Amino acid sequence: MIEMSKEKKAMTKDRLIGMQVIDSDGNDAGTVQDIAFTVGKLGMTLIVETKKGENREVQWEEIQAAGDFVILKPSAAQTTGPQVMQPQQAQQPVCPTCKGPLSYIQQYQRWYCYKCQKYV
Ligand SMILES: [Zn+2]
């Protein structure tokens, strides 16, 4: 079993990078690759590489504990944050031009790239 420490240790970037990420079910969710800070927002975002080699962002609020591992909160608690509304699809398509994430515009039922400012 993983021992969860409640004490607040200073977590340095060097300690976090390379740390294993465990989801609330105890599954291996990947490894911390990098840390991103957002100006004006508390905490930070972990860039996690999954076993499939995909990168995902884990918000600081999604983290339950960090010690020898990063332990994520149950996914039900991950619905917070002013994220762009996404349709009920498993994976989000990316822009063929800039490879950026596309946003689904419900009104026109089309995918839109905010970077290129065009529909795909
Ligand atoms: Zn684009």
Side-chain angles (χ1 to χ4, degrees), residues 94-102 113-118 120:
V94 294
C95 174
T97 310
C98 70
K99 308 289 179 205
L102 295 176
C113 176
Y114 282 100
K115 269 190 206 166
C116 303
Q117 301 195 329
K118 67 175 186 186
V120 183

Side-chain angles (χ1 to χ4, degrees), residues 15-100:
R15 272 192 72 187
L16 278 164
I17 290 175
M19 197 175 271
Q20 196 180 2
V21 180
I22 312 276
D23 70 16
S24 57
D25 297 322
N27 298 314
D28 183 357
T31 310
V32 179
Q33 295 294 304
D34 207 349
I35 308 216
F37 293 89
T38 308
V39 175
K41 239 186 121 184
L42 276 176
M44 51 190 160
T45 303
L46 302 185
I47 313 297
V48 174
E49 189 183 299
T50 66
K51 282 191 289 186
K52 290 181 198 162
E54 295 163 341
N55 278 0
R56 63 170 282 206
E57 291 183 7
V58 174
Q59 307 297 319
W60 195 243
E61 302 88 74
E62 295 174 40
I63 297 167
Q64 181 169 294
D68 295 330
F69 305 99
V70 175
I71 299 156
L72 303 182
K73 289 179 185 171
S75 50
Q78 292 179 17
T79 50
T80 52
Q83 300 291 327
V84 180
M85 284 288 286
Q86 301 295 347
Q88 304 284 327
Q89 286 190 359
Q91 75 262 27
Q92 186 185 17
V94 294
C95 174
T97 310
C98 70
K99 308 289 179 205

